[in-house]
Amino acid sequence: MNTNRSSYLLGAALGSALVLAFCAPANAADIYDGGLKGGYDVPPPPPTDRGMYFKGYVGAADANVGDIWTEQLGTGTGFVHHKDIKSSPLFGLGIGWQRNHWLRFDLTGEYRGDAVFLAHDQFPGANTNEYTADIRSWMGLANAYIDMGNWCGFTPFIGAGIGFSTLTVAGMKDVNVVAPGGSVAFGQDHTKTNFAWAIYAGGAFDITPQVALELTYRYADLGTAQSGRVTTFDGTASNSGVFVQDITSNDVMLGMRYKFQREAVVYQPVK
């Protein structure tokens, strides 16, 4: 009796062991097949937005003059008829850091080509001055941008920057043809460095995961430019120079941004 019971228990134990031995591999295979072959999607690693980028851009600068000042105008007896700076090209490079998907920073440096400066003032007694000169500048800015979402590869953004501008007034000429005898005066070249600031609005379009095309509008304040001492051709008179005050600019720029970081690898399900 006891022998039969022992035989039954031993048989049951052996049978259970055989069932587990055959079923466990099958269940593991089922899990493998379901998990990696489509039953359960393996989530890809989260994408990274961080990384450095390099950019280059070209554009057109439409500058404006707030006012002009000379020693003669400083007496308060004259007035300015006209003041203007013609449009000029600009070229720039920059390097930046994408902090996350909505915030980035960069440092930019640009050269703004020669722009023709023209002005005309008048004083009592048929005394006039017609000024012409070339104004060229360099500008360096530290910028921050907010990227406002991405729609099918298009990202609108706004930004602001602070830095410096270096303005050179070259070839200043002051012609007075109305006064008796007339006169012509020439100003020495002079370079002045100012605090500068700018605000941006624009959009970027992703051509590839690493390359984006940018179209940007910028309003920039470059400060004041100044000629050197102005002296008449015959050396009979001179003054401290012509001050071109409160130069601002409306700029339109087309640029390319290259992102150094690689896109995150997305693991596809095993077929």
Side-chain angles (χ1 to χ4, degrees):
M1 184 73 176
N2 292 334
T3 302
N4 291 335
R5 181 178 298 177
S6 299
S7 299
Y8 291 145
L9 291 175
L10 179 60
L14 291 174
S16 299
L18 290 174
V19 169
L20 290 175
F22 284 106
C23 290
N27 289 338
D30 291 342
I31 294 173
Y32 176 81
D33 291 343
L36 294 183
K37 291 189 177 182
Y40 303 95
D41 290 331
V42 178
T48 175
D49 292 312
R50 292 191 176 191
M52 295 182 65
Y53 63 85
F54 173 82
K55 73 177 184 180
Y57 56 93
V58 298
D62 183 17
N64 299 285
V65 180
D67 204 355
I68 65 171
W69 185 93
T70 65
E71 290 180 1
Q72 197 170 14
L73 285 169
T75 64
T77 58
F79 58 93
V80 178
H81 281 294
H82 173 73
K83 55 188 185 299
D84 188 26
I85 297 180
K86 300 301 182 182
S87 298
S88 65
L90 61 86
F91 313 90
L93 296 173
I95 188 165
W97 171 258
Q98 183 85 38
R99 177 65 180 81
N100 51 40
H101 67 279
W102 61 270
L103 182 63
R104 57 190 170 89
F105 307 92
D106 63 34
L107 299 173
T108 58
E110 70 185 56
Y111 172 73
R112 304 165 70 90
D114 286 3
V116 177
F117 166 71
L118 303 168
H120 178 204
D121 62 20
Q122 183 176 351
F123 298 87
N127 186 4
T128 67
N129 295 282
E130 296 179 1
Y131 306 100
T132 59
D134 289 330
I135 297 179
R136 57 179 177 269
S137 60
W138 293 84
M139 186 163 65
L141 295 171
N143 306 291
Y145 307 90
I146 296 176
D147 293 331
M148 299 182 292
N150 186 290
W151 290 269
C152 300
F154 175 74
T155 302
F157 63 84
I158 57 174
I162 58 172
F164 70 92
S165 65
T166 299
L167 297 98
T168 299
V169 178
M172 173 63 71
K173 183 167 66 173
D174 174 5
V175 179
N176 184 341
V177 296
V178 178
S183 66
V184 179
F186 299 93
Q188 298 175 350
D189 295 353
H190 185 271
T191 299
K192 188 176 186 296
T193 300
N194 307 303
F195 172 78
W197 59 270
I199 54 176
Y200 301 84
F205 183 76
D206 295 329
I207 299 175
T208 72
Q210 289 182 273
V211 178
L213 184 69
E214 291 186 347
L215 181 62
T216 310
Y217 164 78
R218 177 180 66 194
Y219 176 84
D221 188 319
L222 287 76
T224 295
Q226 174 190 352
S227 76
R229 191 164 190 84
V230 176
T231 306
T232 57
F233 182 73
D234 58 8
T236 58
S238 67
N239 60 62
S240 61
V242 179
F243 291 74
V244 186
Q245 298 178 323
D246 303 327
I247 299 175
T248 59
S249 185
N250 294 284
D251 305 332
V252 176
M253 302 174 292
L254 181 65
M256 192 80 72
R257 178 158 34 107
Y258 177 80
K259 308 169 190 176
F260 289 111
Q261 75 270 25
R262 295 177 180 270
E263 291 296 301
V265 177
V266 177
Y267 297 97
Q268 299 295 331
V270 177
K271 298 300 183 182

